Every structure is written in structure tokens, then in C-alpha cells.
Amino acid sequence: AQSVAQPEDQVNVAEGNPLTVKCTYSVSGNPYLFWYVQYPNRGLQFLLKYITGDNLVKGSYGFEAEFNKSQTSFHLKKPSALVSDSALYFCALRPNAGKSTFGDGTTLTVKP
Amino acid sequence: GAVVSQHPSRVICKSGTSVKIECRSLDFQATTMFWYRQFPKKSLMLMATSNEGSKATYEQGVEKDKFLINHASLTLSTLTVTSAHPEDSSFYICSAAPGLGWLGEQYFGPGTRLTVT
């Protein structure tokens, strides 16, 4: 069975500070991992993905994530947060030809 | 990038009526489409997976006779909520993938807010 955990319901950071949104996973086989962002009353927007290759993945809007196989983690990071980054973030796991498993989501609030 | 649209974006209907939601992939052919339901500040709950030209595969606990899914073409899937009740009120999101075995990201529609009165 596959699973994704986002241990924090809420992350609060000050504008300009670095941010981290945590994600851990469990899967047998190759972990295809994704981060999505959702703004109020909108669908999900793709941020970045890890399929294979470099463990550090760079994505949209200055976000990046590091795949750590030994810790089974795929934390989302950004060096300097913006107020406009405030949104709901989802980590997702999608094995071969399969359906995605989403984490419960983490609400990021960036305060000015 | 790939664009997925949903129509309508918001719909209010009376209890007992049926509502159809359309999901279209605008610039690619979507062999596989997914329908999700999302409650406020909650994760996405996969309702069903549909492959073009075949019957949808429903997740456990999702009533196939209540949530009718049709994926008649490579660019269009529809979700019909039949005999809607207030508990069906929710945010429904579709997503699309270009092909079977696609390993990349899913492309999501903007969602449809359904309110049943």
C-alpha cells in the first residue's frame, strides 16, 4: 500500500524567511512524487515533481524540493517566502500508471 | 502548459435534481481522467478514474449510480450527480493525464462548486 503524510496542518512564516513544508511517503517500488498548490476555490496547480535523477528538484515560483530516499521524504522549500505564497499545498505520490495518493494538505500562511 | 477546463464553475440546484459537470482537456488528448471531491480545507478524495471509451472505475464507497461518469472522447469527461441531496454539496475537481502509464503530473481543472439546497 502507498501513503503520503504531511505532518503539519499549518505552517506560518514571516515574509522573507525560508519556508519548509514537509512530506513523507511510503511505497513499494519507485516513488514518483509531486507537489501541487491550491488557491481558494481553485483547482490544483503543479509545482514540481521527482521522477528520477537529481535529488534536488526545482520548480515553479522559486520552489524546490529534495528527495531523500533514506528518510522517505520530499520536503518542499523556498529560500524567501512571499505573502502571495500563502495557499494550500499538497504532496502526492503516483506510482506507475496508477492513481495519485494525496497528503492531507498543509496550509501555508506567510505574514508580512 | 496543458489546460483543463471545467464547466460550470459554480452551480446551485434543488434537492432531487441532477447536475452535469463537464471536464475538457483543451490542448491535449486525455486518455485518463480523474474525478475528485474536496471538502473544505481537506484533501482530495478520488471518486473515480475514467479511461476514454470504457467504463469508469469507482473507488470504494462511491455510488456509481449516483455519480455517473462518461468519458466519450479524448477531450471530454462528464460527471452527473443524480438526484442530488444537500450532502452532495462539495467542490468537485477533475484532472487529466495524456496517456495510459503517464508518469508525469496530472493537469487539474479549476473545480466546480456544487451547492444543493
Side-chain angles (χ1 to χ4, degrees):
Chain A
Q2 62 193 55
S3 65
V4 175
Q6 292 180 243
E8 301 159 316
D9 287 339
Q10 179 90 32
V11 170
N12 298 313
V13 297
E15 188 174 30
N17 283 1
L19 69 87
T20 299
V21 183
K22 295 180 180 178
C23 172
T24 58
Y25 68 90
S26 174
V27 69
S28 56
N30 294 323
Y32 301 106
L33 294 157
F34 305 82
W35 275 102
Y36 295 89
V37 60
Q38 184 181 32
Y39 296 97
N41 294 309
R42 301 295 299 275
L44 277 66
Q45 297 177 34
F46 169 76
L47 281 179
L48 50 80
K49 64 184 176 187
Y50 172 83
I51 303 293
T52 186
D54 290 341
N55 290 342
L56 183 63
V57 178
K58 294 187 182 296
S60 306
Y61 313 120
F63 284 94
E64 58 187 31
E66 185 168 11
F67 171 66
N68 188 318
K69 188 172 183 178
S70 62
Q71 297 186 3
T72 61
S73 67
F74 189 57
H75 301 332
L76 181 70
K77 299 182 179 184
K78 187 172 183 180
S80 179
L82 300 172
V83 173
S84 58
D85 292 329
S86 298
L88 183 57
Y89 290 80
F90 289 102
C91 182
L93 173 67
R94 187 173 183 212
N96 291 4
K99 55 195 176 187
S100 295
T101 298
F102 287 84
D104 288 339
T106 299
T107 299
L108 171 67
T109 302
V110 181
K111 297 184 178 179
Chain B
V3 179
V4 176
S5 70
Q6 273 184 251
H7 178 80
S9 57
R10 287 178 178 270
V11 58
I12 300 172
C13 70
K14 292 186 177 180
S15 186
T17 62
S18 295
V19 174
K20 180 184 285 188
I21 302 170
E22 291 187 350
C23 177
R24 293 181 184 271
S25 57
L26 299 185
D27 50 4
F28 68 100
Q29 293 185 327
T31 305
T32 306
M33 286 188 171
F34 304 89
W35 285 96
Y36 295 88
R37 182 173 177 175
Q38 186 181 32
F39 295 95
K41 294 189 177 181
K42 291 292 184 183
S43 187
L44 280 71
M45 182 192 82
L46 179 65
M47 300 174 67
T49 302
S50 72
N51 293 312
E52 185 265 340
S54 62
K55 290 184 178 180
T57 301
Y58 289 81
E59 295 300 300
Q60 191 173 7
V62 178
E63 298 176 61
K64 64 177 73 175
D65 294 331
K66 181 169 184 62
F67 298 99
L68 300 178
I69 291 172
N70 184 281
H71 191 166
S73 77
L74 286 171
T75 59
L76 173 65
S77 177
T78 60
L79 167 67
T80 301
V81 183
T82 62
S83 188
H85 290 285
E87 56 265 32
D88 298 325
S89 298
S90 194
F91 194 55
Y92 292 87
I93 304 175
C94 73
S95 75
L100 294 175
W102 171 246
L103 298 179
E105 64 272 24
Q106 295 169 244
Y107 304 107
F108 287 85
T112 297
R113 173 75 58 195
L114 170 62
T115 304
V116 184
T117 61

